[in-house]
Amino acid sequence: MTELSEKAGSYNFNDIGKGGEELKRLKLQASASIDLEISMLTNKGLKKGDKILDLACGPGVITRQLAKNDPTANITGMDLNLELLEIAQSEAKKNNINCIDFIHGDVYEPPLKDSQFDFIYARLLFQHLKDPKKALKAIYRLLKPGGRICIFDIDDDWLSLHPEPDGFKTFTETVGEIQSRKGGNRKVGRQLGSLVESSGYKNVAVDVQTISSRDIGMKAFLDITLGFKSRMLSDIDLAKSKKTLTETECLITNPSAWAFVGVFIATGIREKSY
């Protein structure tokens, strides 16, 4: 495994981003429930004028929204992928947003000074990390005393479709096994509280926010929750899952179908020194 692959964990945009579909999925994933997400961050302690770090910012959709939400904020977006950072910088410039610094770096060794951020946000990052505790300890150093981390991530046992297509559980389990071999964890949500607490943070709390297909539309829901999964599969596994995926697509035109996903939100604080 190369050093870049080791740092990227189970998500490497260079491996799955060809053709533009993955970039579309990333943008859709970030924008589909953006107002709900910004409200959630405010509820979790984000304040006006905060110095914010958006970890694994990707194409910068959330980073830009944070800037629009609070022009007084000082925001840094960091990502490991240079192509995504270029897109993020270009979009910020196009939207005349000047309060964001985009930097290249990885979560294990962030090229940033210690004790400078009030609020650090890690969105759908920890499911991909081989060593989440190492990442949490690196993040801890970047927070000011009293600064807060907020982690937003998933647990596949909280993903459900009704009616459930035949073979859907096998499909999700196969993806989970593949991601695990690459260093990821599709059930990281339930572990976040313990991980954050054991890494030295105080006042740790975990909530679960349910998002349904009625909130964002069935097509968007399936694109967001299953698009990445499909790209993780080999041609052989895709062929085996073809019937399941076809049945899943039919839910888009089924007016009585529902889909749900539980998103885990973990917070913790770097203790103040007196």
Side-chain angles (χ1 to χ4, degrees), residues 1-230:
M1 182 179 284
T2 66
E3 183 181 1
L4 179 61
S5 297
E6 186 78 18
K7 290 176 178 178
S10 63
Y11 184 85
N12 190 335
F13 181 78
N14 292 336
D15 289 343
I16 63 175
K18 298 177 179 63
E21 290 304 311
E22 177 61 7
L23 178 59
K24 289 179 186 176
R25 187 192 70 84
L26 287 175
K27 289 181 175 181
L28 175 63
Q29 182 187 71
S31 60
S33 57
I34 199 163
D35 291 336
L36 178 65
E37 199 162 334
I38 296 298
S39 175
M40 175 273 293
L41 291 173
T42 301
N43 290 336
K44 296 303 178 186
L46 180 65
K47 301 185 297 295
K48 294 290 184 182
D50 271 355
K51 189 167 186 182
I52 305 166
L53 174 61
D54 184 13
L55 283 171
C57 66
V61 176
I62 296 294
T63 329
R64 293 193 300 277
Q65 190 61 35
L66 287 167
K68 291 176 183 176
N69 184 63
D70 179 12
T72 68
N74 184 320
I75 304 171
T76 300
M78 188 180 83
D79 203 276
L80 185 62
N81 188 276
L82 287 169
E83 183 179 346
L84 289 175
L85 279 175
E86 288 174 5
I87 293 167
Q89 289 170 326
S90 174
E91 290 292 326
K93 185 176 180 180
K94 190 187 300 180
N95 286 274
N96 296 313
I97 297 173
N98 303 308
C99 63
I100 305 173
D101 290 322
F102 288 103
I103 65 165
H104 180 239
D106 76 89
V107 69
Y108 297 123
E109 298 179 86
L112 293 160
K113 293 180 181 178
D114 291 355
S115 305
Q116 63 168 304
F117 292 102
D118 300 293
F119 196 94
I120 297 179
Y121 186 37
R123 182 185 191 278
L124 301 175
L125 167 65
F126 274 75
Q127 63 173 287
H128 298 296
L129 297 180
K130 186 175 182 179
D131 193 344
K133 288 192 73 170
K134 181 180 178 181
L136 282 163
K137 288 176 180 177
I139 294 166
Y140 187 91
R141 293 194 299 271
L142 302 178
L143 285 168
K144 296 176 183 178
R148 183 179 298 266
I149 187 174
C150 180
I151 301 172
F152 177 104
D153 226 304
I154 54 87
D155 188 315
D156 266 358
D157 280 355
W158 288 63
L159 172 64
S160 59
L161 306 178
H162 178 76
E164 183 177 292
D166 185 46
F168 184 70
K169 281 189 173 60
T170 300
F171 167 73
T172 57
E173 287 168 1
T174 299
V175 173
E177 289 166 5
I178 292 169
Q179 194 161 334
S180 178
R181 291 198 294 270
K182 292 175 179 285
N185 179 3
R186 294 209 61 83
K187 297 182 180 181
V188 74
R190 70 189 70 180
Q191 299 175 20
L192 289 176
S194 176
L195 286 167
V196 175
E197 209 163 46
S198 64
S199 299
Y201 296 81
K202 303 301 180 184
N203 298 348
V204 176
V206 182
D207 297 318
V208 182
Q209 174 73 53
T210 303
I211 299 173
S212 82
S213 54
R214 300 301 170 95
D215 294 325
I216 61 176
M218 181 64 81
K219 186 178 188 310
F221 185 99
L222 296 179
D223 286 346
I224 291 166
T225 58
L226 303 187
F228 172 69
K229 288 181 170 66
S230 297

